[in-house]
Amino acid sequence: MRFPALCTALALSPSLAFAVGSTSSEVPTTGLNYGPRPAYLIEKLPEGALKTKLQSCAGQAPKRSLFSIGHRGAPLMFPEHTVESNVAAAGMGAGILECDVTFTKDLELVCRHAQNDLHTTTNILTSDLASTCKTPFTAATDDTPATAECRTSEITLAEFRTLKPKMDSADKTAKTSAAYQGGIAPYRTDLFTDGAQQMTHAESIELFRALGAKFTPELKSPSVEMPFNGFSQADYAQKIIDEYKAAGVPASDVWAQSFNLDDVLYWIENEPEFGKQAVFLDASYKIDGFDHTNPETFPHDFVDLKSKGVNFIAPPMWMLVTTEQDKIVASAWAIAAQDAGLEIITWTLERSGPLASGGGWYFQSVKDVTTDDSMYYQLLDVLAQDVKIKGMFSDWPATVTYYANCMGL
């Protein structure tokens, strides 16, 4: 096995040891750990039925749940898309793990949130590969922030493997490339970055299967013009699926995602078994005039999407809710998607840090009632019970796993 961190995890966890050699449809249920965060958040909840219910499950044995999806692993504390981040997420009971997929100069698929994020997620700017960056590091001045842009498409897989992962961050006030490596959000940490290991997409399949988890790869939009060195968008979409087929992974274990509807339709037409669970990531929020409470502004006809074979749709969680008299309720967008028969997955819980100031982008539609961290569970409960989402991405899957186990999801 290629990954030392995984070997250690297997030695320490009976559940993970059971998973090796099994199919990902076999769900280990022992050796998992919630850690202290769910109890911490539950304690902050106002007195009521939700708090009482969640407190009643304090003694439950953790079980893996497909409702709990590791978003880039567990990047609240671990470098995203690393072996260590995903081992942590699996240990918290995430039943599905994510590899955001992009490609290198030699057209190898790797796990990376964006093709052009190496300058914030690795040490490339302080390595011998700094000269490959599309935009070299430029120091901050009194008037402009520091800048850089480094792409996987500018380096080979062999070169990619030499880079050291770090927490996704950048100090925009930096005068040097070394200082630019900082800027970590105060609610995150770099305690678990030393020795972290990056992965190819094929290696993520090996790892996730060994961890007893299922798969949700996301085809990331290229930063380069396509086709790239003869590699077309269709080639890209097909290669992702081909790596699951080569590994013998059943289509029912894979939820391939893309913000590009054409990618989803390609899978539906050319890989229909995988297309059944292909997930259309909805970025309607980027369109001027979009209002998730006003159907007249919705750019997609949900009934038409369903008729074309799209079964799963995934917006950010704020699009699914609004408030009425200080109560969180399902939005018009959520109701329309439900009425069309679409299954809903959403993102991303635990990506906002402390919520006392309103929660930022992910909580924007409920910011007026977001005053403390208890909103993590209050929002999750509305999404699960009223919107009836099928899964929640989280940067710290234990929070979602605890809820899913307690509610029988």
Side-chain angles (χ1 to χ4, degrees), residues 337-397:
Q338 287 175 327
D339 289 347
L342 294 172
E343 304 283 11
I344 301 172
I345 298 170
T346 192
W347 41 278
T348 303
L349 205 68
E350 296 280 35
R351 194 157 181 82
S352 305
L355 302 181
S357 61
W361 192 84
Y362 287 95
F363 288 81
Q364 61 185 278
S365 61
V366 293
K367 64 181 180 181
D368 292 342
V369 295
T370 301
T371 58
D372 61 58
D373 291 353
S374 69
M375 183 53 73
Y376 280 118
Y377 272 133
Q378 293 182 69
L379 177 57
L380 179 58
D381 191 54
V382 172
L383 292 171
Q385 304 303 325
D386 298 339
V387 180
K388 300 190 183 304
I389 61 172
K390 297 300 180 181
M392 169 64 83
F393 281 89
S394 178
D395 279 18
W396 199 245

Side-chain angles (χ1 to χ4, degrees), residues 105-124:
K105 185 177 182 178
D106 48 352
L107 306 182
E108 296 294 335
L109 302 184
V110 295
C111 298
R112 188 64 26 209
H113 182 247
Q115 191 167 60
N116 62 341
D117 73 359
L118 295 179
H119 52 290
T120 65
T121 60
T122 75
N123 70 330
I124 191 170

Side-chain angles (χ1 to χ4, degrees), residues 6 15-16 18-20 22-28 32 64-66 68-70 73 86-99 204-216 244 249-250 252-255 397:
L6 176 56
S15 69
L16 302 188
F18 172 83
V20 174
S22 71
T23 68
S24 56
S25 61
E26 296 173 4
V27 183
L32 306 180
R64 195 171 307 285
S65 172
L66 297 181
S68 179
I69 308 171
N86 283 287
V87 168
M92 298 177 203
I96 303 173
L97 297 173
E98 178 188 43
C99 170
S204 79
I205 295 172
E206 175 192 353
L207 176 68
F208 298 174
R209 179 158 52 186
L211 293 171
K214 300 191 181 188
F215 314 85
T216 185
Y244 288 97
V249 175
S252 58
D253 283 358
V254 182
W255 286 262

Side-chain angles (χ1 to χ4, degrees), residues 53-64:
K53 174 61 177 176
L54 292 178
Q55 285 179 328
S56 74
C57 298
Q60 69 185 357
K63 296 181 180 180
R64 195 171 307 285

Side-chain angles (χ1 to χ4, degrees), residues 109-334:
L109 302 184
V110 295
C111 298
R112 188 64 26 209
H113 182 247
Q115 191 167 60
N116 62 341
D117 73 359
L118 295 179
H119 52 290
T120 65
T121 60
T122 75
N123 70 330
I124 191 170
L125 290 175
T126 59
S127 76
D128 293 339
L129 293 173
S131 61
T132 68
C133 291
K134 188 70 174 178
T135 303
F137 171 76
T138 302
T141 67
D142 291 340
D143 300 321
T144 59
T147 58
E149 183 188 353
C150 307
R151 300 176 177 178
T152 59
S153 53
E154 299 296 319
I155 61 175
T156 65
L157 175 58
E159 290 170 326
F160 175 79
R161 291 194 188 280
T162 69
L163 297 176
K164 296 180 180 179
K166 71 179 192 69
M167 294 298 284
D168 185 11
S169 64
D171 183 349
K172 297 298 183 67
T173 68
K175 302 294 186 181
T176 68
S177 58
Y180 190 79
Q181 306 298 291
I184 297 174
Y187 56 87
R188 298 183 185 272
T189 179
D190 62 356
L191 286 175
F192 306 107
T193 58
D194 187 38
Q197 304 166 82
Q198 302 189 112
M199 297 180 292
T200 66
H201 176 239
E203 289 164 352
S204 79
I205 295 172
E206 175 192 353
L207 176 68
F208 298 174
R209 179 158 52 186
L211 293 171
K214 300 191 181 188
F215 314 85
T216 185
E218 180 186 337
L219 189 160
K220 303 303 296 188
S221 298
S223 298
V224 295
E225 186 176 347
M226 300 293 277
F228 176 76
N229 293 343
F231 191 58
S232 69
Q233 188 72 17
D235 293 335
Y236 184 16
Q238 186 63 51
K239 187 167 185 174
I240 290 175
I241 301 304
D242 285 347
E243 293 196 344
Y244 288 97
K245 293 166 72 174
V249 175
S252 58
D253 283 358
V254 182
W255 286 262
Q257 316 167 66
S258 181
F259 279 102
N260 182 350
L261 180 58
D262 287 342
D263 295 334
V264 175
L265 296 178
Y266 174 88
W267 290 323
I268 291 169
E269 180 178 354
N270 295 280
E271 292 288 351
E273 290 305 306
F274 286 88
K276 289 177 183 177
Q277 293 187 164
V279 182
F280 175 42
L281 297 163
D282 187 356
S284 296
Y285 54 85
K286 293 185 177 180
I287 298 173
D288 288 343
F290 172 76
D291 179 351
H292 71 300
T293 67
N294 181 0
E296 293 183 1
T297 71
F298 298 172
H300 302 295
D301 182 330
F302 296 140
V303 173
D304 182 59
L305 287 178
K306 182 69 175 177
S307 71
K308 291 177 178 176
V310 177
N311 294 317
F312 288 83
I313 194 166
M317 59 193 190
W318 66 263
M319 279 175 51
L320 296 170
V321 290
T322 187
T323 56
E324 292 181 359
Q325 299 179 338
D326 293 335
K327 181 180 179 182
I328 304 173
V329 296
S331 69
W333 190 102

